Amino acid sequence: MSAAADPAPAPDTVLATPHTEVGAPIVRITALRKSYGDHEVLKGIDLDVMRGEVVAIIGKSGSGKSTLLRCINGLEVFQEGSLIVDGKPLLHDSALAMRELRQRVGMIFQSFNLFPHLTVGRNVMLAPRLVKKRNAAENEARARKLLERVGLAEKFDAMPDQLSGGQQQRVAIARALAMDPGVMLCDEITSALDPELVGEVLRVVESLAEEGMTLLMVTHEMNFARKVADRVIFMHQGRVHESGAPDAIFGAPQTPELKQFLSSLHD
Amino acid sequence: MVDFTLWDIVRNLLLAARWTVILSVIAFIGGGLAGLILLVLPLTGNRVAELAIGGYVQVFQGTPLLMQLFLLYFGIALFGVDTSAWTAACAALTLYSSAYLTEIWRGCVASIPRGQWEASSSLALSFGQQLGHVILPQALKVAVPPTVGFLVQVIKGTALASVIGFVELTKAGGMIANVTYQPMLVYGCVALIYFALCFPISLYAGSLERKLNVGRR
C-alpha cells in the first residue's frame, strides 16, 4: 500500500491517488433520507467509508441498496442529510459542484451502458478528453494501458456490440478508471451476465480492491462479497439493518431479518 | 386564340416549381432550426418550457395546415402589418415544420436508453457534452429516415400556399389550365413535377435507412 500513500502516482501505476488520506473517510453519508413522493426509500442512512475500504451492500430488492449507491454520485436526488465524497460535498443545485464530485466517483452499471456509437478506445477516452482536457497522445496511452489492465488491449478499435457481456463490462470498468476516481461504485455489475462470464469481471474488481481502490458494491454474489469485502452492510426497508466484517455477517447474523435473507439465498 | 405548345406549359411550370423548392427549403431549414431549439429546451428539465412546447406541437398537429396559412395570412394583417402571401406561406410552413420535426426528434431522443444519460452523467460530462457527444449522435441515426420522409410532406404541403395566392407550382398549374383549357394535361404535368421532386428524396430516405442499419448492425 506504500505506493498508494504516495502523493504523486508513479508513472506506471494505473490507479490515481485520491485526495483523502489512507484510513480517513472518503465517503461520508450523514442522516440521508430519500423518498419518492410519499414513499420513503432511505430512512436515515449514516455511513462512513474509509479510503481503500471495500464495502459490499446486500439486501432484498426494494431495500434501497441501489438507491443509496446512486445517491452517492447524484444520479438520485435526496431530500435530507449530507454526503461528502473525497472532500467534495454533494450539491444537487450546482451543476459545477456535481461535475466536480462526479470526477471523484466512478460508476459501473448492471447494463454496462457503453456508448454504442463509439469504439472501445473512444469510449474510454471520451470523458478524459472532454472533462479533464487531457491531451490526445497522453489520453490514448492511458486508455490503452487501462484496457490492457482489464485484459482487452487488442479490442481498442472494436465496437461495443462486437464484445461479449463480460468484455463490455470490463471496458466499462476501464472507462470509469480513466477519470481517476477516488471511489468506485458497482451496481450489481454481474447481474446481467451469463454465469460463465461473471468470473472475468469479478477478477478485475478483485484486483482493483487489492490495489487499494475504495469500492462500494451492491451485489448478489455473496461468495465474492465474503472473499473481497472488508465490511458488509445489510440493508432492510431503507435502513442499514446490520453491518460488520464478512465473517460476522455471513457466519453469525444477529438479526432475524438478516438470518431470513441469508437462508432465502440457499433455497 | 393563342396556341400553347407542351413546352410552353412545362417551361412555365418549371419556372413556378422554383418557388415550390425555395419555399420547401426555407420551411425545412427554418423549421429544423426552430425544432432543434424546441427539442433541447425541455431536456434541460425546464417544466414550463416542456408544457409550452407540448402545447405548441399539439396546436400545429391538431389543425389543418390550410387553416394555419389562412390564420397567418389574415391574422397578421389584423395587427396592421401588411403581409405578402410569400411571408405568410414561409412563416406558416416554418411553424408547421418546426412542430412536426420537434415531435419526430423528441421521439428519437426518448428512444435512447436512460443508461446512456446516466453513464455520461456519472463520467462528469456537462449537459451540452452529453447531448453533443453521446445522445444526439445516437438519436441522429434513428432520426434521419423519418426526417427525410417529412421533407416530402413539406414539399407537398407547399401546394396549399396556392390558396392564399402565392404562385408556386400548383397555383401556376391552375392559371395555365385556365388559359389553355387543358386541365388534364397541365395537372398531369404538375403531378409529375411533384413526383420528380419527391421520389428521389423517398429513395434517398430508404437508402439512408439501410446504410444506417448496416452501421448499427
Side-chain angles (χ1 to χ4, degrees):
Chain A
M1 283 298 148
S2 63
D6 218 53
D12 59 336
T13 53
V14 179
L15 301 187
T17 313
H19 298 233
T20 313
E21 296 292 314
V22 176
I26 193 166
V27 177
R28 303 205 74 156
I29 303 173
T30 317
L32 185 141
R33 285 173 176 271
K34 153 142 195 97
S35 40
Y36 294 108
D38 288 340
H39 178 57
E40 195 168 34
V41 278
L42 296 176
K43 301 170 181 169
I45 305 281
D46 291 286
L47 178 65
D48 279 2
V49 179
M50 304 301 154
R51 181 177 151 193
E53 196 178 17
V54 177
V55 175
I57 305 173
I58 60 171
K60 283 192 294 196
S61 64
S63 60
K65 53 193 194 314
S66 275
T67 308
L68 175 63
L69 205 66
R70 291 160 57 86
C71 279
I72 296 174
N73 73 347
L75 286 183
E76 299 284 351
V77 177
F78 52 86
Q79 283 80 28
E80 281 181 50
S82 73
L83 203 157
I84 298 172
V85 181
D86 206 10
K88 292 284 170 189
L90 192 141
L91 305 167
H92 291 293
D93 295 333
S94 161
L96 189 70
M98 287 309 298
R99 289 206 298 278
E100 285 277 336
L101 179 134
R102 282 170 174 160
Q103 293 188 47
R104 310 287 170 88
V105 189
M107 182 147 188
I108 309 162
F109 299 85
Q110 182 177 345
S111 49
F112 327 137
N113 295 346
L114 292 183
F115 306 133
H117 61 300
L118 300 176
T119 62
V120 163
R122 287 183 180 280
N123 261 277
V124 178
M125 294 189 292
L126 182 71
R129 173 166 70 85
L130 294 176
V131 180
K132 293 197 182 292
K133 316 285 180 213
R134 198 176 279 161
N135 82 52
E138 193 186 328
N139 198 14
E140 185 180 331
R142 175 116 166 95
R144 287 189 185 277
K145 183 169 286 178
L146 285 167
L147 285 171
E148 191 186 322
R149 170 78 178 66
V150 298
L152 294 170
E154 77 289 358
K155 298 292 186 189
F156 190 87
D157 293 313
M159 294 306 281
D161 61 4
Q162 298 168 321
L163 306 183
S164 73
Q167 290 173 326
Q168 289 192 45
Q169 193 61 297
R170 285 187 279 150
V171 173
I173 294 172
R175 183 176 69 172
L177 287 175
M179 288 297 282
D180 301 329
V183 183
M184 194 75 112
L185 310 175
C186 306
D187 190 5
E188 301 190 22
I189 60 170
T190 55
S191 299
L193 295 176
D194 292 336
E196 74 272 20
L197 302 176
V198 169
E200 60 185 75
V201 172
L202 292 186
R203 272 192 295 280
V204 171
V205 176
E206 190 178 349
S207 71
L208 289 179
E210 282 163 5
E211 284 175 47
M213 173 61 84
T214 311
L215 287 166
L216 270 94
M217 48 190 188
V218 168
T219 185
H220 294 296
E221 301 284 337
M222 295 304 155
N223 291 330
F224 181 68
R226 187 163 194 165
K227 180 173 157 203
V228 176
D230 300 311
R231 183 157 46 128
V232 177
I233 286 174
F234 171 62
M235 286 193 64
H236 184 68
Q237 295 185 345
R239 291 195 173 85
V240 175
H241 203 74
E242 198 171 332
S243 75
D247 287 343
I249 290 286
F250 294 112
Q254 298 298 305
T255 58
E257 288 80 6
L258 178 55
K259 283 179 191 158
Q260 195 195 1
F261 173 72
L262 290 175
S263 68
S264 73
L265 298 174
H266 300 301
D267 292 342
Chain B
M1 181 171 166
V2 188
D3 266 346
F4 293 95
T5 63
L6 180 63
W7 169 240
D8 286 328
I9 294 173
V10 170
R11 186 168 52 94
N12 281 296
L13 288 178
L14 284 175
L15 286 172
R18 279 183 309 178
W19 294 104
T20 292
V21 172
I22 292 172
L23 187 57
S24 305
V25 168
I26 289 178
F28 193 69
I29 292 176
L33 291 175
L36 200 61
I37 295 168
L38 297 182
L39 168 74
V40 171
L41 271 183
L43 293 176
T44 59
N46 186 335
R47 283 291 295 166
V48 180
E50 192 180 336
L51 287 172
I53 291 164
Y56 172 87
V57 169
Q58 287 307 318
V59 165
F60 280 91
Q61 290 196 339
T63 53
L65 177 57
L66 190 56
M67 293 305 123
Q68 295 162 20
L69 278 161
F70 279 147
L71 286 173
L72 268 166
Y73 186 51
F74 298 115
I76 296 175
L78 277 183
F79 292 98
V81 182
D82 193 20
T83 340
S84 65
W86 163 248
T87 320
C90 282
L93 278 158
T94 299
L95 294 176
Y96 167 83
S97 306
S98 71
Y100 273 89
L101 288 174
T102 301
E103 191 60 10
I104 291 172
W105 293 343
R106 199 191 55 75
C108 296
V109 169
S111 74
I112 306 302
R114 205 164 59 113
Q116 295 290 310
W117 285 100
E118 292 184 346
S120 48
S121 287
S122 62
L123 287 166
L125 266 60
S126 68
F127 174 72
Q129 291 168 338
Q130 285 182 290
L131 267 188
H133 293 273
V134 177
I135 304 300
L136 292 186
Q138 295 181 60
L140 191 70
K141 284 192 174 182
V142 198
V144 167
T147 304
V148 177
F150 178 70
L151 178 56
V152 171
Q153 298 295 322
V154 174
I155 292 173
K156 292 188 291 185
T158 58
L160 289 172
S162 60
V163 298
I164 56 171
F166 179 65
V167 183
E168 39 62 75
L169 184 51
T170 302
K171 181 75 177 174
M175 290 155 77
I176 295 169
N178 279 342
V179 293
T180 57
Y181 303 109
Q182 289 180 308
M184 274 307 289
L185 175 65
V186 175
Y187 285 123
C189 290
V190 168
L192 271 178
I193 295 175
Y194 275 116
F195 186 76
L197 286 173
C198 295
F199 184 61
I201 295 175
S202 293
L203 274 186
Y204 182 59
S207 86
L208 266 181
E209 196 161 4
R210 277 188 300 278
K211 211 181 285 177
L212 293 172
N213 278 336
V214 170
R216 176 168 277 226
R217 295 182 314 113

